[in-house]
Amino acid sequence: MNLPRILSVFWLVVLASCVSDGPSNSSSSPRAQIAQIDLALKLVSERQFAESEAIMQPLVHAKNFGRLPSAEQYRALLTAARLAFTLKEPKLEYESRVRLLALPEATADDRMSRLNAASRLKDINEIVISLTDVVQKNPESLDHLNYRFILYQLSEAKRMLPHGAALPLMQALYAAHWKLEWGLEPSGIWQDFALLLLEQNRLTEAVDASSHVTDEYGLISMRADRRFDAITVANPAQLDVNAVIRKNLEHFQLVAERTPKSLTPKAIVMERLAEEQHYGAALAAADDLLVEIRLHADPKQWYEDFDERYVWILDSRSRLLRRLGRWDEGVDQLAAASYVPDKDGKNVSQVINLGELYCNLGKPQDALNVLVRLGSDISAYGRMQEAAVRLDAAIQLGDAEQTEKWLGFIKEHRLDAPRTYEDALLRMNDPETAAKWLIEQFENKDLRSEALLHIQDYAVPRETTRQMELRQRRRELMGRADVQAEIQKVGRIESYKVEELGQ
């Protein structure tokens, strides 16, 4: 403890409280409080942050703080917020930023700072509230917000907050005509938005919102879910999946031509071709793109999204080779991809995908050897995929202890990846529990649409023996009377000429 410094600050505070010449001006008078603000800012200029905060925190929490002119309140709260940020005190920072937004001096930058503070606090409820405030009052700020950040927060809100908690945020985003890159609609968000509007009997608004669902899998999900039947009746042509598939492919082919420095549209064209089983055309597009990339001495400098997309192009190429029956080449390509660092300088997804492929090929020990390269910084969903590989490997190796461990982990975290838990139960050949879990998803408002999306009748790609075994168990699960009865109650199954999403 630096006693001389503390004593010096004490006497500075005392002096600041005595700047007036009248006995009625105590340390709680406006003039004395303003002097304390000035002193705190002086200490900040001298980089005495802790000492400055020792003045500011009692001041902004004083009973008569609200009597200060609003400009002085704003100055004090802004100083308190900045000090808390510097001293890594996120709760104090967020509290000050919320309070200063109630003052007339508050700006758009202050709203954005509150959102940043909520993010540092890692409080999803406050993040949603802050983001909603930004979008409602300063929609132009959306131009400076990463769309992935918004999508992630909406996903977390759906997973962690009460049903419908993000409705005000969705309304604000919709009113602001929010879109993703290349004019792409956030279809999943508008689908959820339309559903919440239907629950409030706001049919006209729901129909309008649903017209912005332009992703084929979003439309398939809506067609499968009886809660959207009112929209289907109101505008059946809108839910023409085949027409939307063609339109989306043409859109991204055009975007790819117009954006030579971006890999993402080109990669999406490949994925769209693969979904429709045009594997040869998709592989040719992948090979042409790789040739194009190699023409550049430094592709990282040429392509704006190289670090993010390149590894996924290799991943997609591996999948295409396997679709064409070129299994060894597919394995080699994915193995090479697993050593390519992603935009964060590591590789998680391809390492896990390679482990899954080895399990599908009946090579469980190779799968476990690959997972040794995984780090610890993995998303909740990624951790579930890792656990699924470890479970499958344990089952194949006959390791009862590891099987119990990883099945328990997947069950405990099943809401992070509901389909992964279902697959785990089928691998365990436990149709009773799998049926109960599937029915539970159908009965859950927030899980139903995704569960119905996955059970549609899709085109089946080339598979390994182990994958075919799992698919057969899923057919048997779907044929159960209790599962069929629940499906008829909440949805329907239709046939499509595309692969299942994420297949």
Side-chain angles (χ1 to χ4, degrees):
M1 181 180 293
N2 192 330
L3 186 58
R5 174 172 285 185
I6 292 174
L7 289 174
S8 67
V9 172
F10 169 76
W11 286 112
L12 284 169
V13 174
V14 170
L15 288 171
S17 68
C18 299
V19 293
S20 63
D21 54 5
S24 62
N25 290 292
S26 68
S27 62
S28 62
S29 71
R31 287 184 63 187
Q33 288 177 315
I34 292 171
Q36 288 179 308
I37 297 171
D38 292 337
L39 173 59
L41 286 169
K42 179 177 182 297
L43 291 170
V44 168
S45 70
E46 297 170 354
R47 304 188 65 78
Q48 298 184 48
F49 303 121
E51 294 82 353
S52 180
E53 186 177 59
I55 295 172
M56 290 307 306
Q57 281 301 318
L59 174 65
V60 299
H61 288 98
K63 290 183 178 180
N64 62 342
F65 177 73
R67 297 177 186 174
L68 279 174
S70 64
E72 294 298 336
Q73 292 183 51
Y74 177 82
R75 192 165 67 113
L77 288 167
L78 185 60
T79 301
R82 289 173 173 171
L83 283 167
F85 169 76
T86 301
L87 297 171
K88 294 181 170 56
E89 297 167 335
K91 288 186 179 180
L92 287 177
E93 180 196 2
Y94 186 70
E95 175 195 321
S96 294
R97 295 204 181 277
V98 170
R99 290 176 62 191
L100 67 83
L101 282 175
L103 299 170
E105 290 79 9
T107 67
D109 287 343
D110 290 322
R111 292 188 184 89
M112 193 65 77
S113 294
R114 175 195 179 183
L115 174 58
N116 292 332
S119 299
R120 286 188 285 274
L121 198 57
K122 297 181 179 179
D123 185 322
I124 184 59
N125 185 57
E126 296 302 331
I127 291 172
V128 169
I129 292 172
S130 301
L131 184 53
T132 303
D133 190 43
V134 167
V135 179
Q136 287 176 337
K137 296 175 181 174
N138 302 102
E140 69 280 0
S141 297
L142 284 169
D143 294 337
H144 309 292
L145 279 170
N146 189 313
Y147 72 88
R148 291 185 180 88
F149 169 80
I150 299 175
L151 291 175
Y152 177 76
Q153 302 308 334
L154 285 165
S155 174
E156 288 295 282
K158 185 175 181 179
R159 186 173 68 91
M160 300 177 65
L161 298 180
H163 178 72
L167 178 59
L169 174 55
M170 293 179 185
Q171 288 177 312
L173 290 167
Y174 191 72
H177 306 289
W178 178 59
K179 292 186 178 182
L180 312 181
E181 288 181 292
W182 312 294
L184 193 64
E185 296 279 6
S187 292
I189 304 306
W190 301 150
Q191 180 184 344
D192 289 344
F193 181 42
L195 186 56
L196 292 172
L197 292 171
L198 285 173
E199 290 176 359
Q200 297 184 359
N201 296 315
R202 297 159 64 180
L203 179 58
T204 301
E205 294 171 84
V207 170
D208 186 63
S210 70
S211 69
H212 292 267
V213 178
T214 57
D215 174 75
E216 57 264 37
Y217 292 103
L219 296 183
I220 291 171
S221 176
M222 290 171 63
R223 290 173 64 104
D225 191 335
R226 292 190 185 278
R227 291 176 295 179
F228 289 100
D229 283 359
I231 291 175
T232 306
V233 172
N235 193 2
Q238 175 194 319
L239 277 78
D240 185 338
V241 174
N242 291 327
V244 167
I245 290 173
R246 289 191 298 272
K247 183 177 180 181
N248 286 339
L249 177 59
E250 291 169 0
H251 171 75
F252 278 104
Q253 286 173 330
L254 184 61
V255 171
E257 292 175 3
R258 292 177 175 175
T259 55
K261 289 198 169 188
S262 180
L263 290 173
T264 301
K266 300 174 178 66
I268 292 175
V269 169
M270 288 164 42
E271 292 164 5
R272 290 287 192 268
L273 290 169
E275 287 168 2
E276 295 186 78
Q277 301 92 58
H278 301 312
Y279 302 130
L283 181 59
D287 289 343
D288 288 346
L289 182 53
L290 290 174
V291 169
E292 176 189 312
I293 289 171
R294 291 169 187 144
L295 289 175
H296 298 284
D298 188 354
K300 287 189 177 185
Q301 294 299 315
W302 176 258
Y303 296 106
E304 59 193 11
D305 53 356
F306 182 85
D307 287 338
E308 176 185 347
R309 266 295 167 180
Y310 177 64
V311 69
W312 285 103
I313 293 170
L314 300 180
D315 189 297
S316 295
R317 186 173 185 274
S318 168
R319 188 169 62 255
L320 291 167
L321 289 165
R322 286 177 271 144
R323 294 290 192 267
L324 293 167
R326 296 161 62 178
W327 290 97
D328 290 342
E329 292 175 80
V331 171
D332 290 344
Q333 178 67 93
L334 188 54
S338 72
Y339 284 97
V340 176
D342 60 18
K343 63 183 178 66
D344 297 319
K346 56 188 178 183
N347 191 306
V348 171
S349 298
Q350 282 65 47
V351 170
I352 293 175
N353 289 350
L354 182 58
E356 180 184 10
L357 177 55
Y358 278 135
C359 277
N360 288 336
L361 290 168
K363 299 179 178 181
Q365 192 57 56
D366 287 347
L368 294 177
N369 292 342
V370 165
L371 294 183
V372 170
R373 293 195 276 120
L374 272 180
S376 57
D377 185 17
I378 307 176
S379 68
Y381 179 82
R383 188 64 74 188
M384 282 287 281
Q385 305 320 301
E386 177 200 355
V389 174
R390 293 190 182 279
L391 173 65
D392 195 7
I395 293 170
Q396 293 188 48
L397 292 169
D399 188 332
E401 181 180 347
Q402 289 297 303
T403 297
E404 181 181 1
K405 172 184 175 180
W406 291 108
L407 179 62
F409 178 92
I410 293 171
K411 179 180 180 181
E412 181 182 354
H413 300 276
R414 60 190 179 277
L415 291 179
D416 291 333
R419 177 62 178 269
T420 302
Y421 180 46
E422 184 183 319
D423 284 348
L425 294 170
L426 291 176
R427 293 191 190 285
M428 294 293 297
N429 202 15
D430 183 359
E432 291 295 328
T433 308
K436 290 178 182 177
W437 173 234
L438 187 55
I439 291 170
E440 185 178 333
Q441 292 176 73
F442 292 149
E443 293 175 344
N444 185 300
K445 290 181 178 181
D446 291 323
L447 300 180
R448 184 182 304 164
S449 288
E450 183 177 352
L452 288 168
L453 174 64
H454 284 302
I455 67 168
Q456 300 304 299
D457 183 17
Y458 295 103
V460 178
R462 198 183 301 258
E463 295 181 313
T464 67
T465 300
R466 186 151 184 82
Q467 287 174 304
M468 288 188 283
E469 178 184 296
L470 182 64
R471 187 174 295 278
Q472 179 57 35
R473 290 181 182 179
R474 173 159 283 107
R475 289 194 188 99
E476 293 170 359
L477 172 67
M478 297 304 302
R480 287 173 57 106
D482 52 352
V483 171
Q484 282 294 315
E486 191 65 29
I487 291 172
Q488 292 302 314
K489 186 191 304 182
V490 300
R492 60 182 61 84
I493 297 178
E494 296 178 316
S495 296
Y496 299 96
K497 296 180 180 180
V498 294
E499 288 189 8
E500 181 181 351
L501 181 63
Q503 181 67 43

